[in-house]
Structure formats: structure tokens, C-alpha cells
Amino acid sequence: METSAGLLAEKLLDIKAVKLQPSKPFTWASGWKSPIYCDNRVTLSYPSVRNFIRVELARMVAEKYPDAEYIAGVATGAIAQGALVADLLGLPFVYVRSSKKDHGMENLVEGNLPEGKKVVVIEDLISTGGSSLKAVNALRNEKKSDVLGMVAIFTYGFPLAEEQFNDAGVRLDTISNYEAVVEKALEIDYIKDDELATLKEWRKSPSTWMQ
């Protein structure tokens, strides 16, 4: 039976939300060279994929965090996804900005979130984990929130991210991941056997690959 990770991996490849180019690497905003590029915002344009993600994220929240009182999306990529999940679960929704507004109320957390509530954070993509955990810290510091955990669409599975989440005491669950995408890409002939080694090599040390 196909896993959710494998099913979503195929969907992401099909709609080109995930692209693999071992022979023609992308350059990330960080400057890293990478054979993979993931843009989960694309999924919002495909109702069947969008709904699959909505249901899977909501299922994880319901199963793993039945005491959740609020859903918080990380701006900007997870605002829509978080709102969809909150709607399905019948929970209130807020979102966390990357930085405070420079006008008005200067909010970092947008929406009505009373202090001390149990919150599950929704994220679209986990790379190093830095920006995701910044949102967690904002909820903890600004609203004294009890952050139960984070659920996300996709993770590259970097050891740095795992270390940072462990240090922050935040549980992370994702629908799919880098290994599932590579495995599915090989299965459907999106990549060839000789490209597999390149993809595995990058995964070992993405910050120094091709330098």
C-alpha cells in the first residue's frame, strides 16, 4: 500500500512543485547550490493536491495533537495551508509574521490568540528549520503559547534542522520528505540511476556541495 509520503511525492513532481535537476543545479536564496527546488505554493493552484495536503495535515493534527486549541500558520507559505487545516478541524487560526509590522499595532502574531493557548504550527517547507522555529519562538514569547508541535508538507531532512528542533523542544511531523521524492522520482523515471548518486551526495552536505 502506498504511503502518504510516496503519494504526495508523486503529486509534487507531477505538478512541478518539486523539481529535480542533478545536472543543472538551482541556486537557493542562501547561495547554496541544489539539485532540488521545492515550491509548495504551487499546490494551492491544484484543487485535488491542495485537498490531499489539507486532509493529511489535519489528520496529523487530530491524531497527534487532540488537545490543540489553535492553529498557527507561518508566513507566508503556510498561511493558506494553515487556514485550510483550521477550517477543516473547526479551530481558530492565526499566523506568524517573519518580522513585526512597522506600522499600526506592530503585530508579530496576526489574529486573536489569547495567552497560554495550546497551539499547533503549520509550515509548508522545512529546510534548516531556522525560520520555522522563529515562528515558534514568537508564539512562545509574544503569547506565552504552549506550542504542542509543528506539522509540515515537506522536509529536506537536514541533520541541522533535526538538531535545531530537538534543541527547541519542538516535535516535527511532515507528510513527505526528500527521501520519498527521490525514491518516487526514480520509480517513475523522472531521474535515472546515474543521477541518484548526485542527489544522495548533495543531501550529505548541502551547504558545501559544488564549492
Side-chain angles (χ1 to χ4, degrees):
M1 182 177 176
E2 184 80 271
T3 64
S4 295
L7 286 170
L8 182 56
E10 185 165 10
K11 293 175 188 295
L12 294 177
L13 288 165
D14 183 55
I15 66 172
K16 297 181 173 57
V18 169
K19 298 178 182 179
L20 295 172
Q21 294 181 183
S23 60
K24 189 180 178 183
F26 302 96
T27 301
W28 286 2
S30 62
W32 290 7
K33 297 294 184 182
S34 170
I36 182 173
Y37 185 77
C38 180
D39 181 4
N40 288 319
R41 292 174 179 83
V42 175
T43 64
L44 296 169
S45 300
Y46 295 84
S48 63
V49 181
R50 182 180 68 214
N51 190 58
F52 179 87
I53 290 171
R54 176 183 70 112
V55 170
E56 285 301 307
L57 289 175
R59 179 185 59 78
M60 286 195 290
V61 174
E63 291 180 357
K64 300 177 186 301
Y65 308 105
D67 296 332
E69 297 175 296
Y70 272 74
I71 298 296
V74 180
T76 60
I79 292 178
Q81 302 291 358
L84 288 167
V85 170
D87 184 63
L88 185 57
L89 295 174
L91 292 174
F93 175 72
V94 299
Y95 71 87
V96 186
R97 291 176 171 272
S98 58
S99 59
K100 287 187 177 183
K101 290 197 298 184
D102 59 3
H103 60 280
M105 298 296 292
E106 299 184 352
N107 293 332
L108 190 56
V109 179
E110 295 285 5
N112 181 28
L113 175 60
E115 290 191 355
K117 293 297 184 180
K118 295 177 180 178
V119 180
V120 175
V121 181
I122 304 295
E123 181 62 290
D124 69 325
L125 175 67
I126 306 295
S127 53
T128 63
S131 60
S132 304
L133 291 173
K134 185 178 178 182
V136 171
N137 291 332
L139 290 163
R140 287 172 170 173
N141 297 333
E142 298 276 325
K143 298 295 184 178
K144 307 296 186 286
S145 300
D146 178 7
V147 178
L148 303 179
M150 182 179 293
V151 294
I153 299 172
F154 182 85
T155 179
Y156 291 111
F158 297 146
L160 174 60
E162 182 177 350
E163 180 182 331
Q164 293 203 96
F165 272 87
N166 287 338
D167 289 346
V170 179
R171 175 175 173 173
L172 172 66
D173 293 283
T174 67
I175 304 175
S176 197
N177 53 68
Y178 182 72
E179 288 80 5
V181 162
V182 171
E183 182 179 325
K184 180 59 66 172
L186 191 62
E187 179 185 318
I188 64 176
D189 292 326
Y190 185 104
I191 58 171
K192 303 303 179 186
D193 287 331
D194 59 351
E195 295 176 304
L196 185 59
T198 299
L199 290 163
K200 288 184 175 180
E201 192 64 29
W202 172 80
R203 174 62 179 70
K204 292 178 184 177
S205 182
S207 62
T208 60
W209 188 68
M210 287 193 71
Q211 291 187 4

